[in-house]
Amino acid sequence: MSSWITTVDHKRVGILYGVTAFAFFLLGGLEALLIRLQLASPGAHVVSAEAYNALFTMHGTTMVFLAIMPFNAAFFNYMVPLLIGARDVAFPRLNALSYWIFVFGGIFLNASFLAGTPPDVGWFGYANLTSKQFSPSHSVDFWLLSLQVLGVSSMISAINFIVTILNMRAPGMTLMRMPVFVWMTLVVQFLIVLAFPPITVGLIFLLFDRYFGAHFFDVAAGGDLHLWQHLFWIFGHPEVYILILPAFGIVSEVLPTFARKPLFGAPVVIYSGVLIGFFGFGVWSHHMFAAGMGPVADAAFSIATMLIAIPTGVKIFNWLATLWGGTIRTTTALHFAVGLVGLFTIGGLSGIMHASPPVDLQQTDSYFVVAHLHYVLIGGSLFGLFAGAYYWWPKITGRLLDERLGKVQFWVLFAGFNTAFFPQHYLGAIGMPRRIYTYAADAGFAFWNLVSTVGAFGIALGILLFMGNAWRSLRAGPRAPADPWDGRTLEWRTASPPPPHDFDTIPPVFSRDTFWREKYGRPREPSPGPSSGDHIHLPAPSHWPVLVGLGLAVMAVGALTHLAIVIAGTLVTVVGAFRLALEHHRTPAHEHQVGSLDLDHRKVAIWVFLGSECFFFGTLIATYLAYKGKSVVGPEPHQILDIPLTTISTFDLLMSSLLMVLALAAVQRDDRRQARLWLFGTAFFGLIFLGFQAYEFTHFVREGLTLQRNLFGSTFFVLTGLHGAHVTIGVVWLLCLWLLDLRGNLRVTDAIKVEVAGLYWHFVDIVWIAIFTLVYLIP
């Protein structure tokens, strides 16, 4: 048991993700069944109105963040290194850390039931329902804090997989030779890195409104409730593709295998997936057609929504062309893959209807939208995940699932799903609003709601059949060979289940579908490498990821209870993070690699992280500009901003970047005395800047400008305060490097550590230039 808790093996982490996600999926499914029981007949009293609000909020939040996303992460973790011919992910310990943060975040969210205050404002938490005035209990606090914790997990994982895919591919595996599932994984990770910062900023604003009396969503103080909708849906619509693109990738692997022919137009399928990710950032406001944005915005987002249907349609035609003329083997995995194609097409067609603002105004907040969402996320994501489960189960477990029982499960699930959700199109069309907990007998909703409830229990039966099939397989299923499906990609080239080191020798890649060609075309060519896994270095297990995840959860609990618990959780998190970071000094070989991009993993990771930080600070600055001049009370900003003083502190911070350059140069030439001098000097200049900032904050408070005073105070203190927090992290980072140098652990071979810290430090300085210009120099 302890080996599973401390594991950093990508395969075990993948299994942990899958089992945990399935547990949360069952919990979300139970919430859905209670919702359907309440709506099965008019005037029912299965649950109260308050409990119903909590159920649909927790059902949506659980299915999106705790079930489908971690289900996808299970396949990312287990399969991606095998598919690209790698022995592990780029950062195994961070991989384990992302899992444990996810676990504790999910437990914290569901602890709201035990506390008697589950979230009850809908999974997208529209302002001002989330304000203290309308949600005075801790229900919204549980929701926003857990989403922040889960966001940290997702960001760590995304950076890890971007580095893994870009920098750890087997020799010969160019980008266009990567399997489509790996491509879709890569697109999803970039979506996470770029889409999560806006929702993070929105949650920070909400936290400051609820805990510290800020005014970001306070209309009386000049705030705009639409700000939350924009921030949420800038994240929320890419999130739809975060959920569905992995399923598209799975289908693109399953169909060619069981049609026994290459994927038709594979490069076009890849390009269409990239385009879906790109266009996904330009359609968010089609969720806001009812918000009164005006004809120009409505037209722009309507056109963008229609355009995004093109690359999606391309995929569907490519999948059909792959099946056309193939030697079809009707396995359970193929059933689920073809089921996705059909059901997602229905969901996509109803989505295109919503691209038209007049049609959307008719259908918004009705059960038609509920039907559309579920056809996309169950007919799409869930059916795709089941296709992947049946396809890769023998690789993961070394045993086969019962194909006959699997097909029964497919047809039960298929029938139950359509029975549950197709009638909801009609219910929405005749006017049934969503989120109502009951309805009158003469409303005309009763019959189809009863049918929908019967279908929901059909879905539950399908899930139970899968659980029974999985149990039978694990107990006494037939042993699976290495390549039970006559597969095309590299994961079938190794044993089932794979050894700890994945491959005895890293397989060379000569083309797309390289393993297929190796078996039936080009003879296998020898490649250099060890003949067995006995002396291959693998990273050691670590218990520090568990401690860091626990520390974050304790901090969240403290935010609901007492400051002392927040401090205790922070100490646990910081100590765990330091110990986790310093572990690699004992076994450095695994994580210090130069990969396919001819760059160290850590350098690729920091560039990805800084790209995400650009969106984070860009969102903060955009909010400041949107709210500029909307303060209605308090002192005028230009009267109290001390521009000469801030100019000095700005010059100080810019000079620290010069010292950082000198520090890196000193480390690269192994001049330890100069390295220590410049590292400490950079940190000292950072501390001087923070001192100036602390003085400025106290000056503002004396002049009557506080976080609570007006909208300028809210935006100013949060924007500059979060930048100051980044400077603080940089100072601590630099002092750690200085201490490493004092202990003789920072030599020429460790220059990359200073280079990575330097990139972060220069970025923080550049951000301050933008803030100083926009806040202080422009009236």
Side-chain angles (χ1 to χ4, degrees):
M1 184 63 183
S2 63
S3 66
W4 282 89
I5 293 174
T6 60
T7 186
V8 296
D9 179 0
H10 73 94
K11 297 179 290 298
R12 284 191 158 196
V13 172
I15 292 171
L16 288 171
Y17 260 114
V19 172
T20 310
F22 194 75
F24 282 126
F25 175 74
L26 293 178
L27 183 59
L30 179 62
E31 292 157 356
L33 292 179
L34 288 172
I35 290 169
R36 289 312 319 164
L37 282 173
Q38 170 64 22
L39 294 174
S41 59
H45 298 285
V46 177
V47 294
S48 66
E50 293 78 11
Y52 185 85
N53 288 346
L55 284 171
F56 73 66
T57 300
M58 286 296 289
H59 169 69
T61 305
T62 297
M63 288 305 196
V64 170
F65 296 105
L66 302 182
I68 303 298
M69 280 188 74
F71 266 142
N72 290 335
F75 287 123
F76 298 159
N77 273 276
Y78 203 103
M79 302 313 306
V80 164
L82 294 171
L83 284 162
I84 63 173
R87 299 206 194 281
D88 210 325
V89 293
F91 303 106
R93 278 179 283 270
L94 287 185
N95 201 32
L97 176 62
S98 70
Y99 168 74
W100 286 108
I101 293 175
F102 151 69
V103 168
F104 285 113
I107 292 171
F108 176 77
L109 175 62
N110 283 280
S112 60
F113 282 118
L114 301 177
T117 56
D120 56 0
V121 291
W123 81 276
F124 38 75
Y126 274 0
N128 56 1
L129 284 177
T130 53
S131 67
K132 274 286 188 183
Q133 179 183 356
F134 298 107
S135 295
S137 72
H138 281 312
S139 59
V140 172
D141 300 324
F142 271 107
W143 183 77
L144 76 89
L145 291 168
S146 64
L147 289 191
Q148 291 284 46
V149 173
L150 294 168
V152 172
S153 168
S154 296
M155 286 294 297
I156 292 172
S157 183
I159 293 170
N160 198 358
F161 279 105
I162 289 172
V163 178
T164 299
I165 293 170
L166 293 182
N167 221 32
M168 293 187 68
R169 287 165 281 133
M173 182 169 281
T174 61
L175 289 175
M176 293 311 294
R177 289 178 180 175
M178 291 196 311
V180 175
F181 178 73
V182 178
W183 260 106
M184 295 305 101
T185 302
L186 182 62
V187 173
V188 164
Q189 308 316 316
F190 274 109
L191 287 175
I192 291 173
V193 162
L194 301 178
F196 267 68
I199 187 62
T200 302
V201 170
L203 291 167
I204 289 171
F205 289 163
L206 180 57
L207 185 147
F208 272 87
D209 274 13
R210 289 183 61 83
Y211 279 82
F212 305 110
H215 302 292
F216 291 103
F217 306 117
D218 182 359
V219 176
D224 187 351
L225 299 183
H226 287 162
L227 172 66
W228 171 266
Q229 293 192 34
H230 282 295
L231 293 178
F232 185 88
W233 289 118
I234 288 171
F235 149 79
H237 205 83
E239 173 69 12
V240 173
Y241 302 112
I242 289 168
L243 298 172
I244 192 64
L245 283 176
F248 286 178
I250 291 169
V251 169
S252 299
E253 303 301 330
V254 170
L255 293 181
T257 298
F258 296 117
R260 291 186 61 81
K261 56 181 287 196
L263 179 66
F264 181 86
V268 179
V269 176
I270 292 168
Y271 294 142
S272 67
V274 175
L275 279 174
I276 287 171
F278 179 77
F279 284 142
F281 281 99
V283 298
W284 79 86
S285 282
H286 70 212
H287 294 273
M288 298 171 59
F289 283 151
M293 296 184 297
V296 174
D298 283 359
F301 285 102
S302 176
I303 292 168
T305 305
M306 294 176 187
L307 283 175
I308 204 170
I310 296 172
T312 308
V314 164
K315 283 181 177 293
I316 291 169
F317 283 113
N318 279 73
W319 292 332
L320 294 176
T322 302
L323 292 171
W324 187 268
T327 306
I328 306 296
R329 287 181 290 164
T330 55
T331 61
T332 306
L334 183 77
H335 276 68
F336 276 105
V338 174
L340 177 146
V341 177
L343 296 176
F344 187 83
T345 300
I346 296 172
L349 290 173
S350 62
I352 287 298
M353 295 180 190
H354 300 139
S356 169
V359 175
D360 183 81
L361 285 171
Q362 171 71 20
Q363 296 171 350
T364 192
D365 274 336
S366 76
Y367 258 74
F368 195 95
V369 176
V370 177
H372 160 70
L373 179 70
H374 286 84
Y375 264 86
V376 170
L377 293 186
I378 296 183
S381 293
L382 188 63
F383 272 69
L385 289 166
F386 270 121
Y390 276 91
Y391 182 58
W392 282 314
W393 183 271
K395 180 55 58 181
I396 295 170
T397 66
R399 294 183 181 274
L400 294 166
L401 288 162
D402 187 309
E403 281 289 305
R404 186 166 53 183
L405 184 56
K407 290 169 186 174
V408 171
Q409 183 224 334
F410 167 79
W411 287 112
V412 169
L413 192 62
F414 186 83
F417 169 76
N418 284 287
T419 304
F421 294 107
F422 199 83
Q424 292 181 7
H425 292 101
Y426 176 70
L427 285 169
I430 64 172
M432 181 175 175
R434 63 177 176 175
R435 299 186 171 190
I436 57 170
Y437 87 105
T438 190
Y439 51 90
D442 59 356
F445 304 151
F447 175 72
W448 290 114
N449 267 299
L450 178 61
V451 171
S452 186
T453 299
V454 171
F457 279 87
I459 295 172
L461 177 58
I463 301 302
L464 288 174
L465 288 172
F466 174 75
M467 292 170 67
N469 199 351
W471 179 256
R472 283 181 55 184
S473 171
L474 292 173
R475 281 179 62 88
R479 293 283 181 182
D483 184 19
W485 310 126
D486 194 17
R488 316 179 71 85
T489 41
L490 291 179
E491 78 272 30
W492 305 112
R493 202 177 187 270
T494 188
S496 299
H501 52 278
D502 289 355
F503 301 95
D504 288 343
T505 59
I506 296 297
V509 176
F510 304 109
S511 62
R512 168 170 293 283
D513 293 336
T514 184
F515 185 44
W516 178 273
R517 296 174 186 273
E518 193 175 289
K519 290 186 292 186
Y520 297 106
R522 183 195 299 269
R524 179 179 296 185
E525 297 185 21
S527 60
S531 58
S532 72
D534 293 342
H535 60 281
I536 296 170
H537 170 77
L538 292 174
S542 174
H543 57 271
W544 296 115
V546 186
L547 192 70
V548 175
L550 178 62
L552 286 173
V554 171
M555 288 171 63
V557 171
L560 303 179
T561 53
H562 198 279
L563 179 62
I565 299 177
V566 175
I567 295 170
T570 304
L571 288 174
V572 171
T573 304
V574 170
V575 169
F578 270 98
R579 296 304 298 266
L580 181 67
L582 294 173
E583 271 188 324
H584 70 267
H585 288 292
R586 295 196 301 273
T587 54
H590 185 79
E591 291 182 3
H592 299 176
Q593 296 178 1
V594 174
S596 306
L597 299 178
D598 200 27
L599 292 171
D600 187 283
H601 293 341
R602 291 162 293 180
K603 196 168 182 179
V604 181
I606 194 66
W607 278 113
V608 175
F609 172 71
L610 294 182
S612 179
E613 286 284 278
C614 288
F615 273 62
F616 179 81
F617 278 106
T619 306
L620 287 168
I621 292 170
T623 301
Y624 167 79
L625 294 176
Y627 278 169
K628 191 174 182 181
K630 289 191 176 182
S631 298
V632 293
V633 294
E636 289 293 327
H638 66 271
Q639 294 175 344
I640 56 175
L641 288 173
D642 192 338
I643 296 177
L645 181 72
T646 313
T647 303
I648 295 170
S649 70
T650 302
F651 180 77
D652 163 79
L653 195 61
L654 293 180
M655 287 302 99
S656 72
S657 267
L658 174 60
L659 300 188
M660 191 71 233
V661 172
L662 295 173
L664 175 60
V667 173
Q668 287 174 335
R669 64 175 183 268
D670 207 16
D671 186 338
R672 291 186 57 203
R673 189 180 71 83
Q674 289 287 313
R676 286 196 296 271
L677 173 65
W678 300 126
L679 281 172
F680 185 82
T682 308
F684 183 68
F685 273 39
L687 287 170
I688 292 173
F689 174 83
L690 292 172
F692 275 117
Q693 190 172 63
Y695 172 80
E696 183 180 40
F697 281 8
T698 55
H699 167 70
F700 277 13
V701 171
R702 287 196 303 269
E703 293 292 328
L705 181 65
T706 64
L707 187 74
Q708 302 85 8
R709 181 66 171 168
N710 56 31
L711 203 53
F712 175 78
S714 297
T715 52
F716 174 83
F717 279 105
V718 171
L719 172 59
T720 56
L722 285 172
H723 177 267
H726 280 72
V727 174
T728 303
I729 292 170
V731 168
V732 173
W733 193 347
L734 291 167
L735 290 176
C736 289
L737 291 173
W738 178 67
L739 288 172
L740 283 176
D741 198 0
L742 286 177
R743 295 166 60 183
N745 291 327
L746 200 64
R747 309 307 295 259
V748 134
T749 52
D750 300 305
I752 184 66
K753 299 172 188 173
V754 181
E755 186 175 0
V756 167
L759 288 170
Y760 174 86
W761 191 260
H762 299 321
F763 170 80
V764 169
D765 289 1
I766 292 169
V767 168
W768 179 252
I769 293 172
I771 293 173
F772 178 66
T773 303
L774 293 171
V775 175
Y776 291 86
L777 299 185
I778 298 178

